[in-house]
Amino acid sequence: MSEAQTLPSTGGRRARGGAEARRAARTSGTAKQQGFIRRATPLYEPFTTEQLELIEANAETVLQEIGIDFRDDAEALSMWKQAGADVKGDRVRFPKGLVRSLLKTAPREFVQYARNPERSVTVGGNNTIFVPVYGPPFIRNLDEGRRYATIEDFRNFVKLAYMSPSLHHSGGTVCEPVDIPVAKRHLDMVYSHIRYSDKPFMGSVTAPERAEDSVTMAKMVFGDEFVDQNCVLINLINANSPLVFDGTMVGALKVYARANQATVVSPFILSGAMSAVTVVGTLTQILAEASVGMAFAQLCRPGAPVVFGTFASSISMQSGAPTFGTPEPAHVLFGAAQLARRLGVPFRSGGGLCASKVTDAQAAHETANTLWPALLGGVNFMLHAAGWLEGGLVSSYEKFVIDADQLTMFQRFAEGVDFSENGQGLSAIREVGPGSHFLGCAHTQANFETAFWRSSIADNNSFEQWRDDGGKDASQRANETWKRMLRDYEAPALDPGLDEALQAFMAKRKEKLPDSVA
């Protein structure tokens, strides 16, 4: 990182000890960390150029003939009218080429800075960032079962993400702390990401004023000027599929885009309920919705970072329940990733998804069947990479650490194959020769610690060893792991003056906010 990119001090606020002391306190993280993935493996791109062009043409038809509703936001409608769109009531129709022309100012990739510069991530290009689960109102663990989440659970998941080397990001709503009023809880959530981790994090989107509070708190950490010129927050804006953006999401999008912070515009689609049942029909709708949301961010501030997002799954046509790990959503992900690259913007999808209620075989195979397409398809920002259970209703302690363990395997796979002199292994073949074994040769001895990926959760011992160790299954071992991690947790340093300033801001805001439930 060059001197021009070095994060500024928080001088002028309540921080004490001078700029150098504040910088040292801000950046002295203690948790081991793998850098974000720079993929060395090829992408899987199943759609031909002609097929992608057909989807793009169909999306233009949707935008011209059907349009998209922008509800409860007169300013957004006015902005679209000034940009040349046809606005009638809440419905906006877009002349051919308008949306794509606006997206020319969106960056192909961008850096999201963390308060510890070593934790900063580059979103886009050939990079993949693993991000924790987002949004569940419940938690589950082996000791308590399923219950509503609290702020203590929220802090625990932030700490677990901080201590997990395979998670490159602290995430956002890692669980919904229902013990704090809705109008106030965003303050505690953003503060927890700042206080208990030094990885990059997400801001609140549940109301425009909560987005404003997130930006204000980020400015207290990074400084006004740095935030204005750099991305330090990323957020998740969902289209209300089919073909609607509501006032809450649009209001939050405006706040972040105008502050030059990154917006993931992500249609949330259960195919058959919120889109057509077909892969191509779903991709057409996703492209229309996501491109319009990203283009609107450019109307707010040209050059504001955006991410083409999609969350698309199928449903059971018998019950209407969402299903995961099935072929059709994988095809949607591959196609959406290709469309994002053709637009020249980063791509978000996920993650470790499953419908299982507990960390069982169903959870394992559905999670694997969603993680592999995400990695091979070239997802840049992989939300829900660890902890997701029960269709996104539950953040699971045990599954969080099991998923995080598996993510280290995916990271090793994405690094590709070593073709160096050591990787070729000719010295070992020469030394051993015909008819012997490689266990004791010099090359094996030099590489045995790093030669193969090893799980920290799986048990590969003999039956007798496993039995004598208590005969524990993966969930039981994971239960011990997350408890040990929380016992061993040490918070990254945070300047006491900055901490005081953040808490004072929160207290002042909470005095003005209602104890509302919405």
Side-chain angles (χ1 to χ4, degrees):
M1 182 175 290
S2 68
E3 183 175 330
Q5 293 173 310
T6 301
L7 301 185
S9 73
T10 53
R13 295 173 179 80
R14 298 192 182 189
R16 299 183 296 236
E20 288 300 321
R22 290 194 296 274
R23 186 176 298 112
R26 190 176 62 238
T27 62
S28 58
T30 58
K32 218 171 45 169
Q33 171 68 17
Q34 290 180 318
F36 62 89
I37 297 173
R38 297 168 175 86
R39 293 188 307 274
T41 50
L43 298 173
Y44 179 60
E45 297 190 316
F47 292 86
T48 67
T49 298
E50 292 75 16
Q51 290 168 335
L52 295 169
E53 288 174 346
L54 174 64
I55 294 168
E56 290 167 344
N58 288 348
E60 286 281 7
T61 297
V62 170
L63 294 177
Q64 284 181 273
E65 296 182 6
I66 303 168
I68 290 181
D69 281 2
F70 277 72
R71 296 180 181 172
D72 304 317
D73 196 308
E75 183 188 26
L77 295 169
S78 176
M79 292 168 67
W80 276 121
K81 189 171 185 177
Q82 291 176 12
D86 176 29
V87 179
K88 289 184 173 62
D90 291 336
R91 183 68 52 88
V92 183
R93 292 179 176 86
F94 307 86
K96 185 177 181 180
L98 172 62
V99 170
R100 284 181 172 266
S101 68
L102 290 170
L103 284 172
K104 291 178 180 178
T105 58
R108 299 189 71 88
E109 61 180 59
F110 59 89
V111 176
Q112 185 188 357
Y113 290 92
R115 68 180 182 90
N116 179 351
E118 293 181 1
R119 307 282 200 253
S120 298
V121 295
T122 300
V123 184
N126 208 36
N127 308 315
T128 294
I129 299 155
F130 290 142
V131 190
V133 63
Y134 184 107
F138 299 100
I139 67 95
R140 174 179 283 276
N141 60 55
L142 287 183
D143 306 286
E144 302 170 284
R146 183 184 191 266
R147 61 167 171 79
Y148 278 107
T150 66
I151 190 61
E152 187 61 27
D153 294 306
F154 190 98
R155 294 171 186 144
N156 284 344
F157 281 112
V158 169
K159 293 173 183 179
L160 291 173
Y162 171 66
M163 296 187 72
S164 299
S166 60
L167 286 164
H168 315 114
H169 205 278
S170 193
T173 308
V174 288
C175 62
E176 191 75 38
V178 301
D179 55 336
I180 300 176
V182 172
K184 300 179 180 182
R185 67 179 61 154
H186 66 286
L187 297 165
D188 295 271
M189 291 192 287
V190 171
Y191 173 76
S192 294
H193 284 298
I194 296 169
R195 179 65 188 90
Y196 301 110
S197 178
D198 61 4
K199 295 182 180 181
F201 60 94
M202 303 177 74
S204 176
V205 296
T206 51
E209 60 270 20
R210 296 167 200 167
E212 292 279 10
D213 286 340
S214 301
V215 172
T216 298
M217 294 174 77
K219 288 180 176 178
M220 296 173 72
V221 176
F222 293 93
D224 292 9
E225 183 178 352
F226 190 87
V227 171
D228 184 66
Q229 297 301 313
N230 299 277
C231 174
V232 302
L233 286 171
I234 194 167
N235 68 91
L236 179 63
I237 300 297
N238 285 129
N240 191 356
S241 303
L243 304 176
V244 174
F245 283 93
D246 63 46
T248 298
M249 290 287 97
V250 172
L253 187 157
K254 289 190 293 187
V255 170
Y256 286 112
R258 286 167 175 166
N260 199 32
Q261 301 307 297
T263 302
V264 181
V265 180
S266 192
F268 183 96
I269 287 177
L270 299 177
S271 298
M274 301 153 74
S275 75
V277 296
T278 62
V279 168
V280 175
T282 297
L283 280 170
T284 297
Q285 183 180 316
I286 287 171
L287 178 59
E289 293 175 348
S291 60
V292 162
M294 293 186 292
F296 183 70
Q298 302 308 299
L299 285 182
C300 294
R301 178 166 173 168
V306 292
V307 179
F308 183 135
T310 178
F311 181 98
S313 194
S314 53
I315 63 170
S316 166
M317 299 308 290
Q318 288 71 45
S319 69
T323 57
F324 301 96
T326 56
E328 295 81 10
H331 286 305
V332 170
L333 186 153
F334 291 135
Q338 288 183 259
L339 292 166
R341 287 189 284 273
R342 286 170 61 85
L343 278 178
V345 292
F347 180 60
R348 171 258 158 161
S349 194
L353 312 180
C354 68
S356 182
K357 314 307 177 283
V358 294
T359 52
D360 59 3
Q362 179 184 342
H365 74 244
E366 289 180 355
T367 294
N369 287 346
T370 54
L371 283 173
W372 273 116
L375 185 74
L376 297 176
V379 169
N380 300 120
F381 191 80
M382 195 185 299
L383 203 57
H384 310 306
W388 169 293
L389 205 62
E390 199 182 320
L393 290 174
V394 168
S395 291
S396 164
Y397 280 83
E398 284 79 26
K399 191 166 184 291
F400 192 98
V401 296
I402 291 172
D403 289 345
D405 173 65
Q406 287 296 294
L407 294 177
T408 64
M409 182 275 293
F410 283 98
Q411 180 140 6
R412 172 67 72 89
F413 178 86
E415 291 169 355
V417 175
D418 177 13
F419 274 86
S420 69
E421 183 177 350
N422 179 70
Q424 294 171 52
L426 278 176
S427 64
I429 300 171
R430 289 192 181 103
E431 180 181 345
V432 173
S436 188
H437 64 77
F438 289 79
L439 294 175
C441 78
H443 184 269
T444 300
Q445 294 299 307
N447 288 278
F448 80 96
E449 289 186 341
T450 58
F452 306 114
W453 173 82
R454 286 180 288 181
S455 169
S456 63
I457 299 293
D459 184 287
N460 299 302
N461 294 323
S462 68
F463 170 79
E464 289 77 15
Q465 288 175 303
W466 170 78
R467 179 195 60 202
D468 293 345
D469 288 339
K472 298 167 187 170
D473 64 19
S475 292
Q476 291 169 317
R477 293 191 293 272
N479 180 268
E480 294 176 347
T481 298
W482 70 258
K483 290 176 179 176
R484 183 179 65 251
M485 291 173 70
L486 291 180
R487 284 196 304 269
D488 294 344
Y489 168 81
E490 295 181 18
L494 181 69
D495 176 74
L498 173 58
D499 196 11
E500 289 176 13
L502 288 166
Q503 294 196 54
F505 170 78
M506 292 164 60
K508 186 175 180 180
R509 286 290 293 135
K510 286 183 177 182
E511 287 178 1
K512 297 180 179 179
L513 294 171
D515 290 334
S516 65
V517 295

